[in-house]
Amino acid sequence: MSEDTAPRKGVAGRIDYDSWEKRTSDLTKQLEVEEEKERKKSASALGLDGKHARSQAEAEEQAKAQDVRKAKKVLDSYKHREDAVVQYLAGILGPLNNDEDFNSASEEKHHEIKYVTRDMLDAGKRVVSISDTAGPGKIILTQDLSNLESVTPANSSLEPKSYKDDAENDQTAQKYATHRGIIKLILQNLQCCTVVIKCKIITGTVEVSHCKDISVIISGDDATVPTIQADLCANLDIQFHDAPSGKNVPLRVRDTNSGPTTTLFWGQDKDDRVYHAGVSKLRVRTFRDGFVDLETCSDYLENGAKAVGNSSAEEVQFVTSVVDNELVTERVYRPGESNNVKKGIMPLTERELQGIKEKQNKVDEALNVHLTEVVKFDGPANGNSGGGDIKPSGGTVENPVEEEEVIEEIYASTTKEVIESIVASCENEKAKGNEAFTSGEYAQAILFYTMALDRAAELPDSPAVEETLSGKTSNTSPVKQLFPRHIILSNRSACFLKLGHHEKALQDGTDAELLDATYVKGVFRKGLALHAMGRYQDAIQALAAAHKLEPKNKQIKQALQFAEVRMHQEIQKRMSGEV
């Protein structure tokens, strides 16, 4: 071929090799894409695409992996929420010293005094965690922390319908709620120091763990700490200096010069407690006007803590509280040891369990006496051998015994005055819970509602209520109660829903429904809890039952429609994964 006839690259009328190379490359890529699609289609048809398990074992592994991913996602969300509200104060007195000669070395150190004020907390931080520090020294949580404010918005959903004694009735009265103080205090890995608490703690809870040679002093009108949980500590000294009880109702004063506002001191209520596990050389003291009032010492090994099964001796829980004007340490029953006898959500000691059983026995004896005295069997009439009719003694059917008299006879072991006193106490705790709920203090509301239920457990109708809740008896009509526990359970369920504790909300909603299936709020909150747990089919059944009770309730109708939509989405999602 001559030079004139040879093909020239890129010349019109000649072969454009760059263009052909590009076309060839595009066709090759297209062919690879089509082959990949065909491969995926074949793999999907054979169940080899990873979406469908090829065996039962693989399906179980996939399910486990999915559960792990879900659990990690939940833990990550908890961690994110915790980091958003917790202020970590580490090494505030100085670094930890793990040397054996720590005590002698610490004596040579200067005694530091650190004041924790609002300036040390970042915006939005309301849980204080003090950790990883060693003294000697003193850490003082000042009254300045009581001035911390947290504002929460009111419920922005549809205005709920009002129900008798329901906590949500007055919720729309405020556009926002203001809370003052820190939410909780956590003390961890502290050595050779004193922590003085003078500020308000909204939940009234202090957690102490892995501490050695420390004192915790609760002092002042603001410092209300009804509950302390101490774990794995040594040489722990807890002191209450004129500290208020969890049931304290502060006096209204004009200024700080008007004197103390404490009306009930720590230990004067049975729910003021120090829980501890794995704590050696624990000392608990109460002070009044600068002098020791009550004092006790304990050690988990000396108290009889022993390893049981997979549980170590350090896991055995004890509680120190005031009993008959003395500080007493008692072992707390493990789950299952109390034979399903409950007292709200509070753990039981042997003494409390025995008291509940004795009270139940008295009620049973009173019922037997009542049945013997009130019901008679008439003898044979006119010489006939047949048995007679059952009739109430002391009257005829035309003159029935009035309800108030029946109550006095059935509950002969408990006088009418005592019953009225207990009911009044329950009503008081319920009112406090409703007020806390309206203010957005849901954890505090749970505490008040629980105290109301604990108080109601002292009523003589408790055995019948417990049998209903345990499933031993089934009632198609509402259980007759001296105090409406189903309303309290429904209110507490609402609090658990607000805090994201859906399983506890479901339990309370279910119990409320068992006691009175006609109380729509209890049924409704049961449905909301099931929906939040992703159990849409069960949620639809519960919400449908609530809707049947109140067909015109828009809030229930919308919740039911939403659950049906989510159920439909779940079905579509499962179907889309099928071949």
Side-chain angles (χ1 to χ4, degrees), residues 294-305:
L294 302 174
E295 180 177 2
T296 188
C297 296
S298 65
D299 185 291
Y300 76 103
L301 292 177
E302 294 176 0
N303 291 336

Side-chain angles (χ1 to χ4, degrees), residues 194-232:
T194 298
V195 179
V196 181
I197 303 169
K198 291 181 172 291
C199 63
K200 178 181 179 182
I201 301 179
I202 297 173
T203 60
T205 302
V206 174
E207 296 180 2
V208 187
S209 65
H210 299 86
C211 294
K212 182 180 180 182
D213 300 317
I214 76 164
S215 296
V216 179
I217 300 175
I218 300 94
S219 174
D221 294 338
D222 280 352
T224 303
V225 185
T227 304
I228 293 180
Q229 176 68 57
D231 298 304
L232 302 173

Side-chain angles (χ1 to χ4, degrees), residues 149-431:
E149 288 190 358
S150 300
V151 177
T152 56
N155 190 0
S156 59
S157 62
L158 293 175
E159 184 174 344
K161 183 177 178 180
S162 294
Y163 297 85
K164 181 183 177 182
D165 295 325
D166 189 80
E168 289 181 341
N169 287 346
D170 301 325
Q171 197 175 9
T172 56
Q174 298 178 344
K175 293 183 179 179
Y176 61 88
T178 302
H179 325 285
R180 289 182 173 83
I182 64 174
I183 296 175
K184 186 169 69 172
L185 175 63
I186 301 171
L187 307 176
Q188 188 173 14
N189 287 331
L190 306 184
Q191 292 181 0
C192 192
C193 62
T194 298
V195 179
V196 181
I197 303 169
K198 291 181 172 291
C199 63
K200 178 181 179 182
I201 301 179
I202 297 173
T203 60
T205 302
V206 174
E207 296 180 2
V208 187
S209 65
H210 299 86
C211 294
K212 182 180 180 182
D213 300 317
I214 76 164
S215 296
V216 179
I217 300 175
I218 300 94
S219 174
D221 294 338
D222 280 352
T224 303
V225 185
T227 304
I228 293 180
Q229 176 68 57
D231 298 304
L232 302 173
C233 298
N235 296 329
L236 175 62
D237 183 17
I238 298 176
Q239 305 174 24
F240 297 92
H241 290 249
D242 296 318
S245 163
K247 302 291 181 63
N248 179 64
V249 181
L251 295 172
R252 297 184 180 273
V253 293
R254 294 181 179 179
D255 54 61
T256 55
N257 296 323
S258 300
T261 63
T262 302
T263 59
L264 196 65
F265 293 95
W266 191 95
Q268 292 181 334
D269 182 81
K270 59 183 176 59
D271 292 330
D272 297 332
R273 298 183 169 200
V274 176
Y275 293 97
H276 44 99
V279 179
S280 59
K281 297 182 180 179
L282 171 67
R283 189 181 188 187
V284 179
R285 290 180 285 174
T286 63
F287 290 75
R288 294 292 300 276
D289 300 322
F291 296 94
V292 176
D293 184 31
L294 302 174
E295 180 177 2
T296 188
C297 296
S298 65
D299 185 291
Y300 76 103
L301 292 177
E302 294 176 0
N303 291 336
K306 296 180 181 179
V308 178
N310 294 327
S311 300
S312 63
E314 288 81 2
E315 296 178 61
V316 178
Q317 178 130 239
F318 296 90
V319 60
T320 297
S321 60
V322 177
V323 179
D324 296 332
N325 203 34
E326 289 185 7
L327 278 168
V328 177
T329 297
E330 303 170 279
R331 185 175 74 87
V332 173
Y333 273 120
R334 290 186 174 94
E337 287 185 323
S338 58
N339 297 322
N340 296 323
V341 177
K342 298 184 297 183
K343 189 179 181 182
I345 60 175
M346 300 285 286
L348 286 173
T349 65
E350 182 178 0
R351 173 183 54 81
E352 292 170 329
L353 179 63
Q354 188 63 31
I356 291 175
K357 288 182 177 179
E358 290 177 358
K359 192 174 296 182
Q360 290 177 348
N361 290 335
K362 288 181 180 179
V363 172
D364 292 340
E365 291 175 3
L367 286 171
N368 291 333
V369 171
H370 168 75
L371 292 174
T372 303
E373 294 179 351
V374 175
V375 180
K376 283 202 235 178
F377 287 87
D378 288 347
N382 300 325
N384 296 330
S385 59
D389 297 330
I390 301 176
K391 295 182 180 180
S393 65
T396 62
V397 178
E398 287 75 15
N399 294 310
V401 181
E402 299 207 357
E403 184 177 354
E404 189 173 294
E405 295 177 0
V406 171
I407 290 176
E408 287 190 351
E409 289 185 12
I410 291 179
Y411 306 126
S413 62
T414 307
T415 65
K416 182 171 177 283
E417 289 74 17
V418 171
I419 292 176
E420 290 177 348
S421 174
I422 296 174
V423 171
S425 177
C426 294
E427 292 287 353
N428 183 42
E429 299 299 341
K430 179 183 68 178

Side-chain angles (χ1 to χ4, degrees), residues 5 20 31 47 136 170 325 335 360 441 456 475 549 561:
T5 59
W20 276 106
L31 180 61
D170 301 325
N325 203 34
Q360 290 177 348
E441 298 179 352
N475 298 291
L549 291 171
Q561 290 173 343

